[in-house]
């Protein structure tokens, strides 16, 4: 596997090391760091995740909190930049219940193919048939599947690791049956899953796939709080080898909660280069994403540069020139480094247009408001589960935080507060805001009337009991839908959608307790 990455390529000395002592450890480290540039170029640099970028949560200039949005034209320009730089894969979200998002995916893929772009597109999808089918119908032929395997996911899904692995296997078989040419499977957070559960999951999965006669191309090893160590990564690679699950590439997805993602990405890439494993880093627009996101391409390349400077501080001009020459000239004749500089400038202009203020520090004043629907929901589920098991007070809070926010001190974030992040909005966000505002469901005739008047509903059973849980999910779906249709909506717009179905308690009729569904 990866025969093109030979030992000779990995150890050839870069030009700035001429005259330096080859017996020094820093000489060998610098050689390997410089070789990463060839390694990354050969692998198409990795996966640029528009999906990750869209789930950014931050403060607007007007003080409201919401997600980051791209217009169709901006998405096309992002894709054009990535293609021109030689990036191999752009990842977009699957939109099983959003006609506007689904139409945008279909258009972006069709236009890219008509333009002859070489870039591949991957749909980010749950191990759910609706997600996978929507990805196929939009034109994707590569799908990145994910499923939760941590203790909290097992508890809240009420499934064992073996049952979760069976769900993943069925999804992979279904994707293969549709005709996807590349399938990646990922545990939702490899480092929040115990090593025993990680091995059990992949053991069961390998057996199920072998029995079905199918394989996956890729394995995702995500770290959604940026706490993993190189040793822990090695443990998980060893598990994959031990269970005998074949794969062609690994993909790493590392958030930057504690500001460590740059170094972790580089360490991860160097380890995989030594092992002859194809590792695709997952990066986003300027390193934004839900909470503190995955790094940007420029951050990854600059991280290599900074580490080389630390090793040879007196060689800064030579290192800079060597990197520029190694990254080379694009087919257009433009220097690679100039093209990605212009790309970052384009990204900053988008942020300026949207009035989006993103502070990548996990200890900023905005920390208490940080979070997205999925992450907030998992944190709260872990907290409630801890309480059901007899934990109380700070112990229960700490357990809740550990589900996703283990990187942050408890005093900074007692429990993750969900914000209306538009594209990333979930029903936990809606529940938080209507409870905070003291709202209750409107009378059922009003609810039915509003539901019947909506034109943008997909996959919603209007005949079901209109409980708080059902309405919260409906509102979250509408927020996600309109955030695509209108290229982002404000927090106030989202709250107006909440107000269609909820009102101050003194304006509503009490809802019978028997109507409520458990989450």
């Amino acid at each position: 596997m990866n025969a093109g990455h030979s030992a000779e390529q990995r150890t050839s000395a870069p030009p700035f090391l001429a005259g330096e002592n080859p017996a020094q450890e820093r000489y060998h480290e610098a050689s390997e760091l410089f070789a990463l540039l060839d390694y990354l170029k050969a692998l198409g640099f990795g996966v640029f995740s528009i999906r990750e970028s869209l789930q950014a949560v931050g403060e607007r200039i007007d003080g409201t909190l919401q997600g980051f949005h791209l217009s169709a034209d901006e998405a096309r320009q992002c894709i054009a930049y990535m293609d021109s730089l030689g990036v191999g894969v752009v990842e977009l979200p699957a939109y099983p219940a959003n006609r506007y998002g689904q139409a945008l995916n279909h258009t972006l893929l069709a236009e890219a193919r008509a333009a002859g772009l070489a870039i591949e597109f991957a749909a980010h999808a749950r191990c759910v048939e609706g997600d996978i089918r929507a990805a196929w119908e939009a034109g994707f032929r590569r799908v990145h599947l994910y499923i939760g395997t941590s203790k909290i996911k097992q508890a809240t899904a009420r499934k064992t690791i073996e049952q979760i692995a069976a769900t993943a296997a069925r999804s992979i078989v279904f994707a293969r049956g549709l005709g996807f040419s590349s399938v990646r499977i990922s545990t939702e957070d490899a480092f929040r899953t115990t090593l025993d559960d990680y091995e059990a999951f992949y053991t069961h999965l390998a057996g199920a796939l072998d029995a079905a006669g199918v394989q996956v191309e890729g394995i995702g090893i995500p770290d959604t709080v940026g706490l993993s160590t190189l040793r822990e990564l090695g443990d998980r690679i060893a598990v994959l080898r031990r269970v005998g699950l074949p794969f062609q590439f690994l993909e790493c997805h590392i958030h930057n909660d504690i500001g460590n993602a740059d170094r972790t990405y580089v360490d991860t890439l160097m380890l995989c280069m030594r092992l002859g494993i194809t590792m695709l880093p997952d990066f986003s627009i300027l390193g934004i994403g839900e909470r503190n996101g995955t790094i940007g391409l420029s951050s990854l390349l600059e991280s290599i540069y900074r580490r080389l400077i630390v090793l040879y501080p007196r060689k800064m001009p030579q290192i800079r020139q060597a990197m520029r020459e190694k990254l080379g000239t694009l087919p257009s004749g433009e220097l690679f480094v100039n093209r990605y500089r212009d790309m970052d400038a384009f990204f900053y202009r988008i942020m300026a247009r949207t009035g989006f203020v993103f502070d990548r520090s996990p200890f900023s004043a905005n920390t208490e408001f940080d979070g997205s629907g999925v992450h907030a929901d998992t944190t709260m589920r872990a907290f409630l589960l801890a309480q059901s098991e007899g934990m109380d007070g700070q112990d229960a809070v700490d357990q809740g935080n550990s589900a996703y926010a283990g990187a942050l001190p408890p005093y900074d974030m007692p429990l993750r507060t969900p914000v209306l992040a538009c594209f990333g909005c979930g029903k936990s966000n809606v529940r938080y805001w209507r409870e905070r505002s003291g709202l209750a469901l409107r009378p059922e005739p009003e609810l039915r009337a509003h539901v019947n008047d909506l034109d943008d509903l997909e996959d919603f059973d209007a005949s079901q009991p209109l409980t708080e849980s059902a309405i919260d999910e409906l509102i979250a779906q509408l927020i996600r839908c309109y955030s695509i249709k209108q290229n982002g909506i404000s927090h106030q717009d989202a709250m107006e959608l909440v107000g269609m179905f909820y009102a101050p308690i003194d304006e509503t009729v009490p809802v019978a307790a028997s109507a409520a569904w458990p989450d």
Side-chain angles (χ1 to χ4, degrees):
M1 182 168 59
N2 300 311
H5 308 304
S6 67
E8 182 180 352
Q9 284 178 305
R10 295 197 299 271
T11 57
S12 59
F16 59 84
L17 289 181
E20 296 292 336
N21 183 353
Q24 290 182 329
E25 182 61 34
R26 66 173 181 167
Y27 184 100
H28 297 288
E29 184 177 351
S31 295
E32 278 200 305
L33 283 167
F34 197 72
L36 278 181
L37 299 175
D38 279 334
Y39 178 78
L40 283 168
K41 286 171 67 178
L43 304 181
F45 293 99
V47 178
F48 172 68
S49 181
I50 289 180
R51 184 267 318 168
E52 174 75 15
S53 305
L54 291 176
Q55 294 195 146
V57 180
E59 185 176 358
R60 294 289 298 264
I61 291 174
D62 62 6
T64 61
L65 297 162
Q66 72 174 91
F68 184 73
H69 303 277
L70 294 173
S71 68
D73 285 340
E74 288 164 345
R76 290 186 195 98
Q77 184 63 59
C78 289
I79 291 167
Y81 269 117
M82 293 304 149
D83 182 76
S84 69
L85 289 170
V87 172
V89 181
V90 164
E91 185 182 74
L92 293 160
Y95 285 114
N98 188 328
R99 72 177 70 168
Y100 302 105
Q102 181 77 336
L104 176 59
N105 279 350
H106 187 277
T107 299
L108 290 173
L109 270 62
E111 290 179 346
R113 286 166 183 154
L117 300 188
I119 206 158
E120 291 187 59
F121 291 90
H124 185 262
R126 300 168 297 175
C127 286
V128 174
E129 184 175 314
D131 283 32
I132 301 167
R133 188 179 297 280
W136 177 262
E137 291 174 351
F140 291 97
R141 295 300 176 260
R142 179 179 186 130
V143 63
H144 290 178
L145 300 173
Y146 68 96
I147 195 165
T149 54
S150 66
K151 294 295 186 186
I152 182 62
K153 292 296 184 182
Q154 294 173 50
T156 56
R158 296 180 176 85
K159 290 185 178 180
T160 64
I161 278 290
E162 185 173 3
Q163 291 170 325
I164 293 171
T167 299
R170 287 193 298 271
S171 298
I172 293 166
V173 170
F174 180 69
R176 284 295 185 215
L178 288 176
F180 280 99
S181 59
S182 180
V183 179
R184 183 218 70 182
I185 183 65
S186 174
T187 55
E188 194 167 310
D189 190 337
F191 299 95
R192 210 172 50 254
T193 300
T194 67
L195 199 58
D196 286 344
D197 284 345
Y198 191 81
E199 181 160 2
F201 173 80
Y202 279 111
T203 298
H204 290 306
L205 182 63
L209 294 182
D210 185 60
V214 301
Q215 293 185 355
V216 293
E217 279 69 34
I219 303 290
I221 307 183
D223 178 8
T224 60
V225 289
L227 283 174
S228 64
T229 65
L230 193 62
R231 182 182 296 275
E232 289 173 322
L233 172 69
D235 286 338
R236 281 149 183 81
I237 292 175
V239 163
L240 295 174
R241 288 182 162 182
R242 189 158 57 243
V243 303
L245 181 65
F247 60 88
Q248 296 176 17
F249 69 88
L250 296 178
E251 181 198 359
C252 60
H253 173 114
I254 305 167
H255 280 247
N256 204 32
D257 290 31
I258 59 173
N260 199 41
D262 290 15
R263 182 171 189 88
T264 303
Y265 267 117
V266 175
D267 286 343
T268 297
L269 287 163
M270 283 210 295
L271 174 63
C272 290
M273 185 175 68
R274 292 171 192 147
L275 295 174
I277 295 174
T278 295
M279 171 63 88
L280 305 181
D282 193 346
F283 57 95
S284 66
I285 291 176
L286 297 176
I288 66 176
E290 48 193 341
R291 307 182 332 278
N292 298 276
T294 60
I295 64 174
L297 176 59
S298 54
S299 296
L300 177 58
L301 298 175
E302 287 159 16
S303 180
I304 297 172
Y305 171 72
R306 288 194 300 271
R307 285 177 64 167
L308 288 169
I309 294 299
V310 168
L311 293 172
Y312 288 95
R314 297 181 183 276
K315 295 285 185 97
M316 183 183 295
Q318 296 96 315
I319 291 171
R320 182 186 301 113
Q321 183 60 30
M323 284 192 64
R324 290 172 67 89
E325 291 175 359
K326 176 64 71 173
L327 290 168
T329 302
L330 299 169
S332 64
E334 185 178 10
L335 284 175
F336 181 97
V337 292
N338 288 350
R339 181 64 170 169
Y340 91 64
R341 177 204 61 196
D342 293 344
M343 175 187 69
D344 279 2
F346 172 73
F347 290 156
Y348 279 114
R349 286 196 295 273
I350 297 174
M351 295 176 79
R353 173 189 60 75
T354 61
F356 189 81
V357 181
F358 188 83
D359 185 346
R360 278 179 264 188
S361 166
F363 308 114
S364 69
N366 286 341
T367 299
E368 63 182 292
F369 296 110
D370 206 355
S372 71
V374 174
H375 287 203
D377 188 54
T378 298
T379 302
M380 184 57 69
R381 285 172 184 264
F383 172 68
L384 295 175
L385 183 65
Q387 288 185 319
S388 72
E389 294 176 347
M391 299 178 72
D392 198 9
Q394 189 60 49
D395 289 340
V397 169
D398 289 344
Q399 186 66 22
N401 284 339
S402 71
Y404 261 107
L408 303 177
Y411 59 81
D412 240 9
M413 186 163 19
L415 280 174
R416 187 175 298 286
T417 302
V419 302
L420 286 170
C422 299
F423 167 79
C425 180
K427 68 178 182 180
S428 62
N429 304 65
V430 177
R431 182 171 64 244
Y432 172 79
W433 284 104
R434 50 98 168 163
E435 286 179 351
R436 176 173 175 171
S437 301
L439 305 179
L441 278 177
R442 292 183 181 276
E444 184 164 343
E446 285 189 48
L447 298 179
R448 295 286 176 193
H450 285 309
V451 169
N452 291 334
D453 287 341
L454 291 170
D455 294 326
D456 295 301
L457 288 182
E458 303 283 347
D459 194 28
F460 181 79
D461 180 8
S463 66
Q464 66 178 294
L466 298 183
T467 62
E468 289 181 343
S469 181
I471 292 298
D472 289 350
E473 179 57 46
L474 170 62
I475 295 169
Q477 181 179 319
L478 290 171
I479 291 171
R480 295 192 299 266
C481 175
Y482 291 136
S483 73
I484 301 298
K485 181 180 180 180
Q486 301 177 20
N487 187 29
I489 63 174
S490 69
H491 175 71
Q492 183 58 42
D493 293 334
M495 290 306 297
E496 288 179 5
L497 288 172
V498 174
M500 289 175 59
F501 300 93
Y502 287 95
I505 292 175
D506 57 2
E507 297 179 17
T508 62
V509 176
V511 179
S514 61
W517 283 2
D519 285 344

